[in-house]
Amino acid sequence: MGAHVSMVAVSTDPGFVPDRSWIWRSYIESTPELDCDARFFAGAPLSVLFYPSFLRNAVWPYAHGNQAIIRRALAEQSWLSEALDGRSFDMVHCNHFFLMPVAERLARGRSPILLDSHDLQARQFMLMNKKIPWLRPHASYESMLAVELASMRGADLLLHVNIDEHEIFSVLLPEKRHALLYPAGPEAPSGPGGDDIVIVASNNTANVESVVWFLREVAPKAPEIEIKIVGNIDIGVRSGAPEEFRRYRDWFVGRVDDVRCAYESARLVLLPMVNGFGLSIKTLEAMASGLPLIATSAALRGMRDDALDLPDVTIADDPESFARALRRKAREPRRTQAQRRTSCVRAYFDAHFSQAVYRRNLEALVGSLLENGRRP
């Protein structure tokens, strides 16, 4: 978009202060795509953990599972790179509510702030806390949401990556300006194709519950069909459902360097999601591959209703209909590379989640904010 971009990486782990350059080395080496005009760093020193007020107001709530308070508190105590002193910006784009204390320092009360909402993170924190032995009483959803909303009020424009969160936050924060901005989805190979029927999943709570549901409820109803399960989800299933893992051990491929390669030799993608919040990146990835999909409605959460009616998408929300669709689709001839590139799911991806569409929409929002939203 022609902007001069300065990246400010903020650590939510104590001890990652800017002048300890060695501690940031692995982060820099693993994020070459973030190289731009300048890189800066911010983080709280270890000493903050021993401040009585920090122990009382941040560490103690965190011991009860309040992920929102500890993250915001560490951002509030962050030291910034000395090179940022006196530096001004036309606009600050903040990617998490708990980093707003840093964004507001960079804006200096003059520059407008864009903030990405990433779904209601209080809901994500509740999912994260499910298997962690926090002290009782556990932090409530309402207490973490209150921190989230209070932080968001400091932004000039709230960017929401799916329809659900746009509607929810518009009600929760009616005084703020909101915009629906779908993310640019990851590209996936559209061929050459093969015979694999794939589930692609990383190891998180929602994915583990979804894959276990498929193995327990759907797979036994289509015993003649073999599936390839790609990603480090094998770790979570082995731990959470050892019997199902033993039974279907040969289906698990495990972690691969580039999970997108799973789509190259596939003929059909399964999205058996039964839990989770926010727009599903792996659904976007599957759409980009141009393959036919069998999905629960939860897999298309956050999208417009027309996504549910795409000819290449079969919606199946119960085990019987999912297994029935699987047996039927497994008998269909596989798509050619040309058919995948021109499929309706690929066209939907291009129309809503491509890099070009994201850039065009973001450029319009930024232009409007710079023109009308500068603070007095």
Side-chain angles (χ1 to χ4, degrees):
M1 291 167 54
H4 295 290
V5 179
S6 297
M7 300 296 299
V8 183
V10 186
S11 176
T12 52
D13 290 324
F16 280 71
V17 291
D19 57 355
R20 302 177 74 187
S21 57
W22 60 271
I23 209 168
W24 296 93
R25 190 175 301 129
S26 63
Y27 164 74
I28 295 170
E29 291 174 352
S30 64
T31 56
E33 73 279 4
L34 299 183
D35 286 337
C36 48
D37 296 316
R39 279 203 192 217
F40 303 98
F41 306 95
L46 280 171
S47 58
V48 305
L49 297 179
F50 304 101
Y51 296 170
S53 60
F54 193 88
L55 286 168
R56 180 178 62 253
N57 299 328
V59 176
W60 182 246
Y62 179 55
H64 292 269
N66 198 315
Q67 308 266 1
I69 283 181
I70 191 68
R71 284 168 166 78
R72 180 178 169 91
L74 286 166
E76 288 173 339
Q77 297 295 329
S78 287
W79 296 355
L80 274 60
S81 296
E82 289 184 6
L84 285 169
D85 291 344
R87 196 179 182 100
S88 62
F89 300 95
D90 294 310
M91 184 191 71
V92 178
H93 189 170
C94 182
N95 75 331
H96 286 289
F97 79 83
F98 47 81
L99 301 183
M100 278 296 292
V102 173
E104 290 172 327
R105 287 162 67 183
L106 297 173
R108 303 181 188 280
R110 298 187 297 269
S111 306
I113 300 174
L114 284 77
L115 174 63
D116 296 320
S117 60
H118 294 293
D119 188 53
L120 276 80
Q121 291 202 21
R123 296 195 301 198
Q124 301 288 357
F125 294 153
M126 293 298 288
L127 278 179
M128 291 167 57
N129 286 348
K130 286 176 71 172
K131 295 184 178 180
I132 304 177
W134 301 110
L135 296 179
R136 295 182 182 275
H138 294 165
S140 67
Y141 167 78
E142 290 76 16
S143 65
M144 290 189 282
L145 178 62
V147 177
E148 186 170 359
L149 296 179
S151 302
M152 296 172 80
R153 288 189 175 96
D156 296 278
L157 174 62
L158 299 176
L159 303 177
H160 308 298
V161 299
N162 67 67
I163 284 179
D164 295 337
E165 72 177 75
H166 181 267
E167 293 176 350
I168 292 170
F169 279 116
S170 295
V171 173
L172 291 172
L173 295 169
E175 74 279 13
K176 303 305 298 183
R177 182 181 171 193
H178 302 262
L180 174 62
L181 182 68
Y182 282 134
E187 289 284 344
S190 57
D195 293 323
D196 294 342
I197 300 173
V198 300
I199 296 174
V200 177
S202 58
N203 182 26
N204 62 51
T205 300
N207 285 345
V208 170
E209 291 179 2
S210 298
V211 170
V212 170
W213 174 81
F214 176 82
L215 296 179
R216 285 178 179 167
E217 305 295 337
V218 179
K221 295 177 173 59
E224 72 281 11
I225 298 174
E226 291 191 2
I227 311 298
K228 182 178 285 188
I229 304 174
V230 182
N232 65 351
I233 188 70
D234 60 318
I235 298 171
V237 175
R238 183 190 294 115
S239 173
E243 182 178 340
E244 283 72 21
F245 181 79
R246 284 192 297 270
R247 182 175 180 182
Y248 296 102
R249 186 187 190 96
D250 292 343
W251 287 9
F252 289 89
V253 175
R255 183 187 179 279
V256 295
D257 290 335
D258 186 355
V259 72
R260 297 174 303 171
C261 294
Y263 299 102
E264 286 183 335
S265 57
R267 62 184 302 173
L268 178 63
V269 180
L270 308 183
L271 298 164
M273 299 180 200
V274 296
N275 206 343
F277 301 108
L279 198 68
S280 169
I281 297 301
K282 57 182 173 293
T283 299
L284 304 188
E285 203 169 58
M287 285 181 159
S289 75
L291 288 164
L293 318 177
I294 302 176
T296 58
S297 353
L300 280 78
R301 61 185 183 264
M303 298 186 191
R304 301 183 190 277
D305 290 341
D306 57 352
L308 299 169
D309 299 324
L310 292 171
D312 289 329
V313 178
T314 302
I315 299 297
D317 284 325
D318 60 82
E320 290 74 18
S321 60
F322 206 106
R324 190 162 53 249
L326 176 56
R327 292 193 299 270
R328 183 179 71 254
K329 300 297 285 188
R331 294 193 296 267
E332 294 182 358
R334 70 187 188 195
R335 305 281 178 88
T336 66
Q337 197 163 12
Q339 288 172 325
R340 288 171 62 170
R341 287 174 178 166
T342 57
S343 69
C344 64
V345 285
R346 176 65 205 204
Y348 195 87
F349 174 90
D350 289 337
H352 298 283
F353 306 108
S354 66
Q355 187 74 32
V357 169
Y358 177 81
R359 172 177 172 168
R360 184 183 69 227
N361 293 338
L362 179 61
E363 194 166 16
L365 291 168
V366 169
S368 173
L369 191 62
L370 290 176
E371 182 179 351
N372 303 313
R374 188 178 298 278
R375 300 180 178 194

